[in-house]
Amino acid sequence: MMRAGARQYVVARPLYSEESFSEEHEKVYRRHKTMLDHIKQYFRCDAKRAKNAALSLLPVIGWMKIYRIKEWLFSDIVSGISTGLVAVLQGLAYCLLASLPPWYGLFAAFFPVIIYFFLGTSRHMSVGPFPVLCLMIGSVVTRLVPDEGPAANITGWEGLTRDEQRVLVASSLTFLVGIMQLAMGILQVGFVVMYLSDTLVSGFTTAAAIHILVSQLKFVLGLQVPGISGPLSLIYTLEIIFNKITSSNVCDIVISLVIMVVVFLVKELNDRFKSKLPVPIPIEVIMTVIACGVSYGFDFKTRYGIDVVGQIPRGYEPPVAPDLRIFQETAMEAFPMAIVGFAVAFSVAKVYSIKHDYTIDGNQELIAFGVSNIFGASFKAFAASTALSRSAVQESTGGKTQVAGLISAIIVMIVTLAIGYLLEPLPKSVLGAVVIINLKGMLMQFREIPYLWRRDRPDCVVWVVTCFAAILLGLDLGLAVGLGVELICVVLRVQFPRCSVLANIKGTDIYKDRKDYFSIDEPEGVKIFRIPSPIFFANMDFFRNKLVEALGFNPLRVLKKRNKALSKIRKLLKKGDLQWTSKGFLNATNGSIKESEEDSNTEELDQPVDFKDLPARIDWNCGLPANIVVPSVEIHSLVLDFAAVSFLDISGLKGLKTLLKELIRVEVEVYIVACDPYILEKLHNCCFFDEEVKPSMFFLTLHDAVLHILEKHPESTGKKTDPDKILTTVTVHHPSSSLRIRDKNVSIHLLS
């Protein structure tokens, strides 16, 4: 019965195989570009391409041409000032994660921003220190220049203080990270970030948040804890903290708790009333100013032994060249830093580009961050990416373009050149508290585990393994483990797909998994098998086994049994133990005929069945003479649905051809439907077809193949099919209010 609001249409057209469709409908000839053509096009140069290249390398030209001064400038100034204040505080705080003197964080909040203004494609992202990246830098710094004991044996460090050695390590490492990012951008390999799924990044950043939390406990508790890097460093650090916890500075603890409580409450108010507030309350900046004043007024450093920021040198230091020997020591750690820094920044940039309707270029972003890090490292800054909270401030306070970022850099410059001394009495416990309270978003990602477990368990496994591996083994090894697990999950999903047997939904041309529906029609002797993945060397055996399971017999085994049976029948006829009569084969001996040893050693059992020298063809589904038993084959036609097969490699091609030949040799007609044109072209180019496997087995759609089978085997449905006119009737629901005009016009073509 037809549903209310549904329309019915009848389509009458010829039944198409791939060959008949190609004969009737001429294809447009398209010349496929060769590798040489792509190389020529890549290196071709003209005025238009030179202009586009300049605009691509300097995106600032593109958006400055459309800059609306009256509408955007004031918003960018307000946003830039707000972001600059936050950048100053986060620069000082995140620098502690890198195990460097705090004022170097101001360099990281200034130099990369200047370069990104000219080269970056995101208009709303705030470039600068990123806590996860700072922590990864800190692990390398403490490995080469530990808090206790001698530094790494690198020549040229004589006469440098411990802090100077650490700064040199951080800047050289940042320079190497920048080179890697720039190289990836020039080579147009920005797609590598796509291998870091949202699930993997979520698990990784959650583990990083735990590392950051533990690393800041020494500032919050006022303890002297040496920096530890490598596997299980977090466990060792916690052990040291718990052993020294009785020596905690009570004043540091009180200050940290007050800062965290106040900042947390005000941030919650900012989130709840963000639609009513013109700009978020900069509570971190306010509490920092208050803490500075109180610390200076009561002389916390002298009276309570609190560790403060200390002297902040005015101005910038002269540029330095990186140490090439440090490159050799840090190359393995630099690559994951380059990937993580870019991946996080690109993810944030993509969110804001979608929200504000403009495009970003991944390869140009790599170039922008590469040059930014190289330039910043020359002035002793450490690797930059973006901080989620800082970018949120820049966007939520009305920032329209990177002019806001430029103004934030100017605010940082003013602090560095003029008023940095005002931050000297700031307790480091305040910075630690600010860092910890900003981890809320990353730590709350633990809530994703139940959702992932219910929705996608492989993704849940990736999240959990990445998180715990990064916690226990360190961020660099943890990222590698997580990436490995993610790739294994992808391979397993492709290698072991969910194959299914399809059946026709009655009254339609729709075919679904027969396990999912009641009203289905399965023609007798016909099997429809769907392969939902590419066929390649890794899953060819799985695909074959699943097909054999669906068929209920192994075609190679059946073929060998039939050839052995034929060999035995020929020998019995030759000996006279078996005779052919009008009623069939007849035993010429009274006793039973036993199989001899040589009957089991027949060669070429996998060759086509040959009935020559026999008086008649043998019906394998009827009883055979001489107690010969051959597995029965209940189907006469097999349809393989290739709609989801996106590619076929050489191993898959060879395996498929072997399987098709085995099926054809046991008298099963095979049809392949909905095959991608490029796969079909590849089959022709690879000489896939021969006297047994023919192009005529390929059909345009699944329904075409089934109708062809029903014409050829009318006994499958118990009624004859009109070969001149095959009608397919389907019903389609048209919600008239939501359809476009072209969707409502249904053309009906009838054949005479």
Side-chain angles (χ1 to χ4, degrees):
M1 184 175 179
M2 194 168 165
R3 300 186 315 275
R7 294 181 182 178
Q8 189 176 31
Y9 65 86
V10 177
V11 178
R13 63 165 176 81
L15 191 155
Y16 285 125
S17 66
E18 288 283 357
E19 284 186 330
S20 60
F21 185 82
S22 299
E23 291 172 359
E24 187 170 327
H25 298 84
E26 184 180 0
K27 289 182 67 174
V28 175
Y29 173 74
R30 290 188 297 167
R31 178 180 173 272
H32 296 297
K33 290 183 178 179
T34 63
M35 182 62 69
L36 182 60
D37 293 330
H38 286 289
I39 294 174
K40 287 180 179 178
Q41 184 178 4
Y42 185 79
F43 288 102
R44 180 178 56 85
C45 185
D46 54 29
K48 183 178 180 181
R49 188 162 188 196
K51 178 182 177 182
N52 292 337
L55 292 175
S56 175
L57 288 174
L58 291 172
V60 62
I61 299 174
W63 59 261
M64 283 298 287
K65 290 193 301 184
I66 62 171
Y67 192 85
R68 295 180 242 176
I69 297 178
K70 293 183 179 180
E71 298 178 31
W72 292 355
L73 183 59
F74 180 74
S75 297
D76 278 340
I77 292 174
V78 173
S79 174
I81 294 173
S82 303
T83 307
L85 295 174
V86 176
V88 170
L89 180 58
Q90 289 188 348
L92 295 172
Y94 294 159
C95 197
L96 299 180
L97 298 173
S99 300
L100 301 175
W103 62 86
Y104 285 96
L106 299 177
F107 300 169
F110 174 73
F111 290 107
V113 179
I114 301 298
I115 299 300
Y116 190 84
F117 173 82
F118 295 100
L119 300 180
T121 58
S122 174
R123 303 177 193 173
H124 296 85
M125 185 172 61
S126 176
V127 178
F130 174 54
V132 177
L133 210 55
C134 293
L135 189 65
M136 297 176 77
I137 293 171
S139 66
V140 178
V141 168
T142 53
R143 178 174 65 85
L144 295 181
V145 189
D147 291 330
E148 299 175 356
N153 186 18
I154 297 179
T155 56
W157 281 13
E158 298 80 6
L160 298 180
T161 65
R162 188 177 300 275
D163 283 344
E164 289 173 340
Q165 291 175 346
R166 289 188 165 187
V167 170
L168 184 59
V169 170
S171 61
S172 299
L173 176 60
T174 298
F175 198 96
L176 182 57
V177 168
I179 290 175
M180 290 179 175
Q181 290 176 330
L182 180 61
M184 288 190 290
I186 293 174
L187 296 175
Q188 305 283 296
V189 292
F191 64 86
V192 295
V193 73
M194 302 307 174
Y195 288 98
L196 302 180
S197 67
D198 293 341
T199 305
L200 184 144
V201 172
S202 175
F204 176 76
T205 52
T206 304
I210 294 175
H211 276 280
I212 293 169
L213 174 63
V214 172
S215 70
Q216 295 306 290
L217 288 178
K218 64 181 180 181
F219 299 110
V220 171
L221 299 175
L223 299 174
Q224 294 296 322
V225 179
I228 302 175
S229 60
L232 301 180
S233 59
L234 186 137
I235 306 298
Y236 297 140
T237 302
L238 285 175
E239 181 184 8
I240 295 172
I241 289 174
F242 283 122
N243 289 335
K244 293 185 176 182
I245 199 166
T246 54
S247 305
S248 300
N249 190 312
V250 177
C251 188
D252 271 323
I253 295 175
V254 172
I255 291 173
S256 302
L257 289 176
V258 171
I259 294 290
M260 285 192 282
V261 170
V262 174
V263 171
F264 176 78
L265 292 176
V266 176
K267 276 182 170 291
E268 290 296 311
L269 291 175
N270 281 341
D271 290 339
R272 179 167 295 186
F273 300 105
K274 61 183 177 182
S275 59
K276 298 181 181 179
L277 292 172
V279 294
I281 301 172
I283 186 61
E284 294 104 326
V285 177
I286 294 173
M287 294 305 295
T288 301
V289 172
I290 294 173
C292 272
V294 173
S295 175
Y296 177 76
F298 290 92
D299 194 10
F300 279 177
K301 180 179 180 181
T302 304
R303 295 178 63 182
Y304 301 106
I306 286 180
D307 193 12
V308 298
V309 170
Q311 183 180 4
I312 298 180
R314 289 192 180 186
Y316 295 101
E317 300 184 14
V320 295
D323 193 323
L324 298 181
R325 287 156 299 204
I326 296 177
F327 284 4
Q328 300 174 1
E329 296 285 339
T330 61
M332 294 299 295
E333 291 100 333
F335 184 71
M337 290 183 199
I339 296 297
V340 169
F342 169 64
V344 173
F346 185 75
S347 300
V348 173
K350 188 165 59 173
V351 169
Y352 290 124
S353 69
I354 294 173
K355 182 177 179 180
H356 295 278
D357 193 24
Y358 62 89
T359 59
I360 57 174
D361 183 350
N363 292 311
Q364 179 61 27
E365 287 293 295
L366 273 171
I367 293 174
F369 276 103
V371 177
S372 296
N373 284 323
I374 290 173
F375 182 73
S378 301
F379 291 90
K380 300 184 179 180
F382 51 82
S385 179
T386 185
L388 308 182
S389 57
R390 193 171 62 246
S391 294
V393 169
Q394 180 166 320
E395 191 267 345
S396 62
T397 52
K400 304 297 182 183
T401 63
Q402 280 300 329
V403 170
L406 188 62
I407 293 172
S408 73
I410 293 173
I411 298 297
V412 175
M413 182 181 67
I414 292 172
V415 173
T416 305
L417 297 177
I419 61 175
Y421 67 93
L422 296 176
L423 297 172
E424 291 178 0
L426 178 65
K428 288 185 178 180
S429 57
V430 174
L431 298 177
V434 170
V435 170
I436 290 174
I437 204 65
N438 278 297
L439 297 177
K440 177 196 168 188
M442 289 194 287
L443 290 173
M444 293 302 287
Q445 292 176 139
F446 272 111
R447 296 184 298 182
E448 295 181 12
I449 296 178
Y451 172 81
L452 290 172
W453 183 254
R454 292 192 303 268
R455 303 296 182 185
D456 195 323
R457 292 189 179 180
D459 267 356
C460 185
V461 170
V462 170
W463 196 102
V464 172
V465 171
T466 302
C467 183
F468 282 97
I471 289 172
L472 297 176
L473 303 178
L475 296 180
D476 48 357
L477 291 177
L479 179 63
V481 170
L483 185 59
V485 172
E486 182 180 55
L487 293 179
I488 288 172
C489 286
V490 172
V491 169
L492 291 178
R493 290 187 187 195
V494 177
Q495 189 171 349
F496 304 107
R498 184 183 177 275
C499 300
S500 55
V501 177
L502 307 183
N504 176 249
I505 303 298
K506 288 184 179 179
T508 73
D509 62 345
I510 299 169
Y511 293 79
K512 295 288 186 180
D513 192 334
R514 66 178 180 181
K515 297 178 181 178
D516 296 336
Y517 294 88
F518 291 108
S519 182
I520 59 173
D521 182 24
E522 292 186 274
E524 185 179 349
V526 180
K527 191 75 70 175
I528 305 171
F529 189 76
R530 184 174 186 271
I531 305 104
S533 77
I535 301 176
F536 61 110
F537 65 93
N539 70 354
M540 184 61 219
D541 287 340
F542 175 82
F543 158 60
R544 179 191 176 91
N545 293 335
K546 281 293 182 181
L547 180 58
V548 167
E549 181 183 330
L551 292 174
F553 65 89
N554 187 327
L556 181 58
R557 179 171 176 269
V558 173
L559 180 60
K560 290 183 176 181
K561 287 284 187 180
R562 288 186 179 183
N563 276 321
K564 285 180 68 176
L566 284 177
S567 176
K568 185 174 180 180
I569 289 172
R570 285 192 177 95
K571 289 182 179 180
L572 292 175
L573 287 172
K574 187 176 181 180
K575 292 179 181 179
D577 293 337
L578 194 66
Q579 293 181 354
W580 172 257
T581 67
S582 59
K583 295 182 179 181
F585 288 105
L586 181 65
N587 287 347
T589 61
N590 295 327
S592 61
I593 301 174
K594 296 182 179 180
E595 183 178 0
S596 61
E597 283 296 322
E598 53 268 18
D599 290 332
S600 302
N601 300 323
T602 310
E603 297 179 355
E604 299 181 347
L605 294 179
D606 58 348
Q607 295 304 306
V609 176
D610 186 4
F611 293 103
K612 69 179 181 179
D613 301 331
L614 291 178
R617 292 180 64 89
I618 296 176
D619 186 353
W620 299 107
N621 292 323
C622 295
L624 298 177
N627 301 320
I628 297 174
V629 178
V630 174
S632 62
V633 176
E634 302 294 336
I635 70 168
H636 55 72
S637 301
L638 170 66
V639 183
L640 299 177
D641 184 0
F642 268 36
V645 179
S646 56
F647 73 86
L648 185 72
D649 72 351
I650 296 299
S651 299
L653 184 146
K654 292 179 179 177
L656 178 64
K657 184 171 183 177
T658 300
L659 179 60
L660 295 182
K661 284 192 171 186
E662 292 170 3
L663 288 164
I664 292 170
R665 289 170 182 178
V666 295
E667 300 176 359
V668 175
E669 299 169 5
V670 184
Y671 303 92
I672 299 177
V673 302
C675 184
D676 186 275
Y678 294 100
I679 294 180
L680 199 55
E681 182 180 351
K682 182 177 182 177
L683 296 179
H684 281 283
N685 293 337
C686 294
C687 302
F688 182 78
F689 302 107
D690 54 26
E691 294 181 356
E692 292 180 281
V693 182
K694 300 178 181 179
S696 58
M697 67 170 54
F698 286 81
F699 276 75
L700 208 60
T701 69
L702 184 52
H703 202 52
D704 281 308
V706 173
L707 293 177
H708 172 76
I709 293 169
L710 297 182
E711 272 192 319
K712 193 171 182 180
H713 301 274
E715 70 278 1
S716 297
T717 56
K719 59 182 179 180
K720 292 282 185 179
T721 306
D722 183 3
D724 298 324
K725 188 173 183 180
I726 302 172
L727 297 182
T728 301
T729 306
V730 296
T731 59
V732 178
H733 181 58
H734 286 259
S736 55
S737 60
S738 63
L739 282 179
R740 295 170 294 181
I741 296 299
R742 66 180 184 184
D743 294 327
K744 294 180 180 180
N745 298 328
V746 180
S747 300
I748 302 176
H749 303 282
L750 296 177
L751 294 180
S752 57

